[in-house]
Amino acid sequence: MKKRYVALSALALLGIGAGTAAYVASPTVHEGMDGETPELGRYGEYQVGTQEMLIGIPDRISFTKVGMATGQLSENGEMPMLQVRMFYPAEVAAGAEPITYTHTMTPPAMEPVPLEYTGRAFADATPLSQGSFPLVIMSHGFNGWSTQFSNLAEHIASRGYVVASIDHADMTIEGVTDFIHSFNLVLANRTIDQRQVLAEIKGNQQSDQTGLFGLIDPEQVAVIGYSMGGYGALATAGGDYDYDSETFGQVPEPALAQMREAASDDAGVDAVVAFAPWGGQPDNRVWSAETLGQITAPVLLVSGSEDDVSNYADGISWIFDQLTGTARHMLVYREARHNTVGNDFAVPDDAPFRVAEFLAEPVWRQDRINGINQHFVAAFLDLHLKGDADKASYLNVPAPNSNNSSWETSFGEQLNGKFAGSDEAEHWRGFQRRWAVGLELLSKPAGE
């Protein structure tokens, strides 16, 4: 084996054999992102600033463990406030260093685990002085945090959007009763948090046309949610819950009344991206076919084929089928489980396995997932928020199973790094030759 390797190398160096020479002379080289990232997963034209702000949530629901049993809500006292991290097109000073995001995970009954992630945005950079950009609200999953998928937020902002990523401040879990209490608070508040952050930002934009708020186009809005964030996003977009579901059995009735009242208002959402949305699985189904059918904003669902948290086969797929009021797509990572979005964190070697299980996929590399997510989210948002009709061809793939995507190759051309364009009609657009594999992209029009 070793001798054969040396012989082939020698042939390449000498240029003996046109096919071999072509193979060596066609490396995958791209500026910016890793060479394997699909076309629209590459960073956009804008530099990105980031800053945090506090936003009041006057209708946030609060109840104690006792209140879950008695049906009573707690008084909030002072205005509940949430941290929201903003990402936006910016003017960056020469020599500025990109931000490093930090977060400390606190797994139940375990030592805290510090995490760091070096981003591409610049802290407190000056917003562009002109421009009008769609607004994207981002919402994490149960016990997540606002910068858990900052890579996606930065990417979207670099392509001409203002992103508001909510830190929902889910209650810390110490035991089983804490889990039940915290989860029921999330059931009650996810869509309320999203709706009120959106309303507050729109209100600020109307009263302040300068700085960051001056960049926002309040008429073009998307919500991106992961897991319980996706549960909230579908409701925020008009898919009201089935309040008779047993899943809400421990949520006090006054809280359900507040949720109903919030759902009666049109939040003005124009597009939804839901990663692994929770709430469709038969044993915890929180919608009916009728309520999901009320969503008219286009939807992109993203899931792993082996998601055993939100249940791909009977939960996420069921949601996809019931969204009959709108055109929708569902991107599926074959063999992936629940963590189909999130930064590629370097988990400390001594961290408990629970941390890796919360953050990473067992089969797919997280950086590969991120590049693909960025590609499809960019196409979806550009199509529906910016009216870029050309982006439809990235979503309307020629073969739902990417393994059946075809692009004729000559010997040695498989590594040339070219993206499939409109002239490769049988290949997933924006992917390199041979690299559209392991995926499915399903689509249905409104009414079907």
Side-chain angles (χ1 to χ4, degrees), residues 4-19:
R4 184 172 183 271
Y5 171 80
V6 172
L8 287 173
S9 298
L11 285 171
L13 289 171
L14 293 171
I16 298 174

Side-chain angles (χ1 to χ4, degrees), residues 384-400:
H384 295 293
L385 296 189
K386 294 185 176 180
D388 184 351
D390 182 60
K391 294 303 194 299
S393 62
Y394 293 86
L395 297 160
N396 299 326
V397 294

Side-chain angles (χ1 to χ4, degrees), residues 91-158:
E91 299 173 359
V92 177
E97 293 292 329
I99 190 171
T100 295
Y101 306 102
T102 60
H103 177 75
T104 300
M105 288 188 65
T106 54
M110 294 184 181
E111 291 296 316
V113 178
L115 297 172
E116 287 190 350
Y117 187 81
T118 301
R120 301 186 68 168
F122 297 86
D124 300 317
T126 303
L128 288 185
S129 58
Q130 57 185 356
S132 181
F133 304 103
L135 174 64
V136 179
I137 304 295
M138 294 183 74
S139 179
H140 61 71
F142 184 45
N143 277 142
W145 60 96
S146 62
T147 58
Q148 187 178 349
F149 33 103
S150 59
N151 67 299
L152 180 59
E154 291 175 340
H155 177 76
I156 294 168
S158 79

Side-chain angles (χ1 to χ4, degrees), residues 39 394 407 418-425 427-431:
E39 180 183 0
Y394 293 86
W407 181 358
K418 180 184 176 184
F419 298 126
S422 57
D423 54 338
E424 287 83 29
H427 197 274
W428 279 29
R429 187 170 179 187
F431 279 77

Side-chain angles (χ1 to χ4, degrees), residues 324-348:
T324 54
T326 187
R328 67 273 197 200
H329 304 276
M330 182 164 65
L331 175 66
V332 182
Y333 291 90
R334 287 198 293 272
E335 305 307 322
R337 290 207 181 272
H338 190 61
N339 300 328
T340 49
V341 68
N343 294 349
D344 184 21
F345 292 101
V347 177

